[in-house]
Amino acid sequence: MIEVELLGPLGNQKFTSNAKDFYALKQELQQDSNIQAWLKDCAIALNDEIVQSLDTPLKDGDKVVILPPVCGG
């Protein structure tokens, strides 16, 4: 099982998933229309490292953080 954390406007929520890769996790996240609207603009971190490819496999104990875009001043 992996831990997934959604930050900022995604609701600051955590849940667990059995997804084995980012393609499966993306399909799972797209089931929620509030999250789906943000996915194309979000960065993804796996175990505190930004992921560049959805081909990256997931394994038990991994932590995924979905990072929406932010602005500041």
Side-chain angles (χ1 to χ4, degrees), residues 8-71:
L10 298 173
N12 292 322
Q13 55 186 318
K14 292 181 182 179
F15 65 93
T16 58
S17 172
N18 289 315
K20 298 296 181 194
D21 57 34
F22 282 105
Y23 292 108
L25 181 58
K26 182 179 177 181
Q27 287 182 335
E28 188 176 330
L29 293 171
Q30 286 179 329
Q31 300 304 310
D32 184 323
S33 60
N34 294 323
I35 296 170
Q36 182 184 31
W38 287 94
L39 284 181
K40 65 180 172 61
D41 297 319
C42 290
I44 302 169
L46 173 60
N47 301 323
D48 299 322
E49 298 286 331
I50 297 296
V51 174
Q52 301 297 327
S53 172
L54 293 180
D55 291 324
T56 304
L58 297 170
K59 61 185 181 317
D60 283 345
D62 280 345
K63 181 179 178 184
V64 174
V65 180
I66 308 298
L67 305 157
V70 297
C71 61

